[in-house]
C-alpha cells in the first residue's frame, strides 16, 4: 500500500475529497512527529507507542582506521505495536 | 517532558493545525490505525506519508531460552510488525546534531614522543638554549611543520566545543595536552644527552660538518621559518642515516592507516603494509617514522580487490588480531570481525 492508496482509503472512509485527505494525513503525521520529538514518547491508540531514544556521543573503535573516534550523539525512533494490533495480526497470520 | 500524552491531546493539536472540527480530527486519528491494519493484512506493508513505513517482517524459526528457567525453547516462525521512520523524520529527530561527524581521536603519548624526537633532531644542529627558547615560542604551531597529528586535532577540538554542548570538558583536556607536549619538549631539549650517547656525538658532528645549518637556525628566530627547507632537511637526514633511512613513501609521523590512504586511497588496507613490514613494525598502533617500508602492490585496484588481494588483507587483519590477542587488548574482537569480512568467499 503506497501513500496514494493510503490517502484514497482515508478519503473513502471519512467521505472527504482526496485533496482534503492528503492534507489531513500530512498534518496528522506532522503532529505525531512533533509530539514524539518534543515529548520523547507518544502512544497512538490501536497502533502502538513511538519512543525516542538518545545515544550519547561516545568513543568507539573504528576498524577502518584502526583507532578510536568520537561518534556524535544520535536519536533513534522506536516503535512498539500495541497489544490489540499485535493480536489482530496474529490471528490473521495463523489462517 | 510530559509523562504521557493522551489521545485527546493529539486530536486537539491536529484540529488546531488543520483547522478542522475535533470530531473530524478524532475520526482521522482513529481511521489511520485501521487503514494501516487493513493494508498490513492485504500487502504486509503500509506507507504513511511523512511518518514512515509499517511492515510485517517474517521471523523464521529460531531457538530461544526461557529467561526464568534457562530452558531452550524453539520459537515458531511468526510475523513481526516493524516501523521504519521516514528519512525526514529521522533527520528531524537529529536536527541538533546534523553538523556533527565522526572525529578521529589521536593518541597523545605516541605523537608526543615522536614530535619530541623530531625536535631533538633540530637541536642537533644548533646550541641547545637557543633552540629551546624557539621551541617554547613555537610549541603550539610546531606540530604544523614537524608532526601532522596534533595539528589536525586542534581545529577538531574547536569545532567540537562549539557544537557539543555536553562536551565542554574537552577544553581542559586540550589545554592539558598542550601543556604536556610543551613539557615534553622542554625536558627533551634540556637533557638531550640522556636520550642517547649517539645524540650527543651527532650534535658535535653536526656543528662541525654543517656550519651552514648552524648559522641558519639562529638567524631564523620566527615561527614561520622553522619549516626546514628541503636542502636543510636532506643534510639532517644524511646525518641521521645511521639511525634510519627515510623513504619517499613515509613522512615523519605517518600512521599506517594514513599511509594506506595515500598509497591505496583506502585506509582499510593499512594491514597490507603492516603485513609486508612485520620485521620493522613492532606495534601496529605506532607511528611509522622514517622507516624503509615496503608498499605491496595490489593485483586488482583498491576498489576491486582480486581473490589474492582479499586473502592478503584478511591475513593482515589476522596478524593484527593475533597481536592484540596476545597483548590482551579488547580491540582484538573487532579485528577478527573485519578479518572475516575480508575473507574471500
Amino acid at each position: 500500500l503506497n501513500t496514494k492508496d493510503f490517502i484514497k482509503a482515508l478519503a473513502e472512509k471519512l467521505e472527504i475529497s482526496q485533496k482534503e485527505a492528503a492534507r489531513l494525513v500530512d498534518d496528522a503525521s506532522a503532529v505525531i512527529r512533533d509530539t514524539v520529538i518534543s515529548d520523547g514518547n507518544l502512544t497512538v491508540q490501536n497502533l502502538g507507542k513511538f519512543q525516542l531514544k538518545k545515544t550519547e556521543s561516545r568513543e568507539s573503535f573504528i576498524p577502518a582506521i584502526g583507532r578510536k573516534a568520537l561518534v556524535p550523539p544520535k536519536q533513534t525512533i522506536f516503535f512498539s505495536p500495541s497489544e490489540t494490533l499485535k493480536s489482530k495480526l496474529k490471528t490473521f497470520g495463523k489462517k | 517532558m510530559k509523562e504521557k500524552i493522551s489521545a485527546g491531546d493529539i486530536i486537539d493539536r491536529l484540529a488546531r493545525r488543520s483547522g478542522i472540527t475535533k470530531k473530524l480530527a478524532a475520526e482521522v486519528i482513529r481511521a489511520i490505525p485501521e487503514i494501516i491494519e487493513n493494508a498490513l493484512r492485504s500487502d504486509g506493508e503500509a506507507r504513511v506519508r511523512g511518518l514512515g513505513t509499517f511492515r510485517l517482517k517474517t521471523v523464521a524459526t529460531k531457538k530461544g531460552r526461557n529467561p526464568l528457567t534457562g530452558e531452550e525453547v524453539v520459537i515458531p516462525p511468526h510475523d513481526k510488525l516493524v516501523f521504519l521512520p521516514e528519512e525526514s523524520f529521522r533527520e528531524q529527530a537529529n536536527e541538533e546534531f546534523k553538523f556533527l561527524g565522526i572525529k578521529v581521536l589521536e593518541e597523545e603519548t605516541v605523537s608526543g614522543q615522536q614530535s619530541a624526537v623530531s625536535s631533538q633532531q633540530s637541536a642537533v644542529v644548533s646550541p641547545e638554549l637557543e633552540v629551546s627558547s624557539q621551541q617554547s615560542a613555537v610549541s603550539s604551531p610546531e606540530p604544523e611543520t614537524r608532526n601532522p597529528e596534533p595539528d589536525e586535532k586542534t581545529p577538531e577540538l574547536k569545532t567540537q566545543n562549539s557544537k557539543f554542548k555536553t562536551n565542554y570538558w574537552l577544553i581542559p583536556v586540550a589545554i592539558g595536552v598542550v601543556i604536556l607536549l610543551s613539557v615534553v619538549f622542554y625536558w627533551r631539549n634540556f637533557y638531550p644527552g640522556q636520550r642517547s650517547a649517539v645524540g650527543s656525538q651527532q650534535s658535535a658532528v653536526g656543528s662541525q660538518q654543517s656550519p651552514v645549518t648552524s648559522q641558519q637556525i639562529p638567524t631564523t628566530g620566527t615561527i614561520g621559518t622553522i619549516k626546514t627547507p628541503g636542502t636543510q632537511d636532506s643534510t639532517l637526514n644524511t646525518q641521521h642515516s645511521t639511525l634510519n633511512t627515510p623513504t619517499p613513501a613515509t613522512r615523519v609521523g605517518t600512521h599506517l592507516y594514513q599511509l594506506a590512504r595515500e598509497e591505496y586511497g583506502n585506509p582499510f588496507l593499512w594491514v597490507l603494509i603492516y603485513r609486508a613490514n612485520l620485521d620493522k613494525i613492532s606495534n601496529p598502533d605506532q607511528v611509522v617514522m622514517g622507516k624503509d617500508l615496503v608498499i605491496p602492490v595490489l593485483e586488482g585496484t583498491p576498489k576491486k580487490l582480486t581473490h589474492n588481494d582479499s586473502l592478503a588483507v584478511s591475513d593482515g587483519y589476522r596478524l593484527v588480531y593475533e597481536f592484540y590477542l596476545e597483548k590482551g587488548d579488547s580491540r582484538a574482537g573487532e579485528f577478527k570481525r573485519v578479518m572475516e569480512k575480508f575473507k574471500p568467499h
Side-chain angles (χ1 to χ4, degrees):
Chain A
L1 189 107
N2 60 28
T3 50
K4 256 186 198 165
D5 297 330
F6 191 94
I7 290 161
K8 221 173 174 177
L10 185 70
E12 275 168 22
K13 199 159 196 123
L14 302 183
E15 290 165 357
I16 50 175
S17 72
Q18 282 195 28
K19 209 173 163 187
E20 177 80 353
R23 191 174 70 94
L24 289 182
V25 168
D26 285 347
D27 283 347
S29 298
V31 166
I32 290 171
R33 276 160 63 149
D34 292 349
T35 313
V36 171
I37 288 162
S38 63
D39 295 15
N41 66 47
L42 169 69
T43 310
V44 179
Q45 256 179 7
N46 292 330
L47 187 63
K49 189 173 164 191
F50 295 92
Q51 239 177 337
L52 203 62
K53 284 183 187 167
K54 189 179 174 188
T55 319
E56 291 293 338
S57 71
R58 62 190 199 280
E59 279 182 20
S60 177
F61 181 78
I62 293 174
I65 53 174
R67 46 176 43 208
K68 280 189 169 180
L70 202 63
V71 179
K74 189 182 165 191
Q75 286 193 319
T76 321
I77 301 136
F78 281 87
F79 171 74
S80 45
S82 73
E83 286 302 321
T84 50
L85 184 60
K86 261 205 271 189
S87 59
K88 274 183 196 169
L89 293 168
K90 210 173 189 177
T91 49
F92 168 74
K94 271 181 186 165
K95 194 177 74 181
Chain B
M1 198 187 283
K2 255 198 227 173
E3 274 305 296
K4 196 162 181 180
I5 291 281
S6 69
D9 288 335
I10 292 295
I11 292 164
D12 276 351
R13 286 183 200 181
L14 177 60
R16 234 179 299 137
R17 190 179 181 115
S18 308
I20 52 174
T21 59
K22 275 190 193 176
K23 199 181 157 213
L24 184 58
E27 273 178 35
V28 172
I29 293 292
R30 235 178 294 136
I32 286 174
E34 272 177 41
I35 296 169
I36 290 171
E37 192 196 320
N38 288 336
L40 287 172
R41 285 185 185 205
S42 55
D43 312 349
E45 189 182 285
R47 262 185 80 190
V48 184
R49 194 158 77 179
L51 205 59
T53 308
F54 295 87
R55 188 177 289 159
L56 277 182
K57 204 175 142 192
T58 313
V59 182
T61 316
K62 61 176 181 184
K63 275 184 187 171
R65 235 176 239 282
N66 186 332
L68 285 178
T69 58
E71 219 179 318
E72 255 193 33
V73 286
V74 176
I75 300 167
H78 58 278
D79 284 344
K80 189 179 160 191
L81 178 57
V82 291
F83 170 63
L84 306 159
E86 229 175 49
E87 200 179 337
S88 59
F89 192 1
R90 275 181 277 135
E91 273 170 12
Q92 197 184 338
N94 287 299
E95 187 97 66
E96 52 182 312
F97 315 122
K98 71 176 171 187
F99 297 112
L100 298 177
I102 290 172
K103 310 278 187 228
V104 176
L105 295 177
E106 301 300 334
E107 287 155 59
E108 283 94 12
T109 48
V110 176
S111 56
Q113 279 173 12
Q114 292 299 337
S115 54
V117 172
S118 58
S119 69
Q120 203 214 348
Q121 286 182 346
S122 73
V124 166
V125 263
S126 58
E128 288 167 25
L129 274 173
E130 254 187 60
V131 176
S132 58
S133 62
Q134 281 173 9
Q135 292 295 334
S136 68
V138 169
S139 63
S140 51
E142 159 85 47
E144 206 176 277
T145 57
R146 294 282 177 195
N147 196 336
E149 267 75 48
D151 176 45
E152 280 169 16
K153 198 175 71 179
T154 3
E156 271 173 24
L157 285 173
K158 265 180 202 158
T159 50
Q160 278 170 13
N161 286 334
S162 57
K163 286 157 196 170
F164 279 48
K165 279 180 213 157
T166 50
N167 284 1
Y168 47 80
W169 51 265
L170 277 170
I171 302 168
V173 171
I175 294 167
V177 169
V178 169
I179 291 170
L180 196 93
L181 280 175
S182 51
V183 167
V184 172
F185 277 139
Y186 267 114
W187 192 79
R188 294 280 182 188
N189 286 317
F190 275 108
Y191 306 100
Q194 277 188 3
R195 174 105 179 126
S196 65
V198 187
S200 58
Q201 277 175 13
Q202 278 188 346
S203 70
V205 174
S207 54
Q208 284 171 7
Q209 277 190 346
S210 57
V212 189
T213 47
S214 58
Q215 280 171 7
Q216 269 181 357
I217 290 215
T219 49
T220 59
T222 51
I223 296 160
T225 45
I226 282 293
K227 274 181 197 161
T228 42
T231 50
Q232 199 189 336
D233 222 21
S234 64
T235 55
L236 270 173
N237 287 338
T238 48
Q239 278 175 27
H240 285 260
S241 58
T242 47
L243 286 178
N244 46 43
T245 29
T247 54
T250 55
R251 284 192 329 235
V252 172
T254 303
H255 278 87
L256 281 177
Y257 79 91
Q258 257 176 356
L259 195 62
R261 187 155 50 193
E262 280 157 26
E263 290 295 322
Y264 301 119
N266 183 356
F268 267 111
L269 303 179
W270 67 270
V271 288
L272 283 178
I273 306 173
Y274 174 62
R275 186 168 165 264
N277 299 282
L278 271 181
D279 49 331
K280 288 165 200 141
I281 307 168
S282 53
N283 184 344
D285 279 338
Q286 211 117 54
V287 173
V288 280
M289 206 191 88
K291 281 179 180 160
D292 222 340
L293 294 180
V294 180
I295 310 289
V297 180
L298 291 172
E299 273 182 21
T301 59
K303 279 194 178 154
K304 209 174 175 187
L305 296 172
T306 63
H307 183 81
N308 285 346
D309 287 340
S310 305
L311 265 182
V313 175
S314 179
D315 189 52
Y317 275 107
R318 184 186 57 81
L319 289 170
V320 181
Y321 160 66
E322 279 168 4
F323 176 82
Y324 281 129
L325 202 65
E326 207 174 294
K327 258 176 54 172
D329 199 301
S330 56
R331 287 175 287 175
E334 310 257 4
F335 281 104
K336 195 177 182 194
R337 248 189 290 140
V338 185
M339 179 186 108
E340 298 294 335
K341 204 181 134 201
F342 270 100
K343 221 172 229 175
H345 306 293

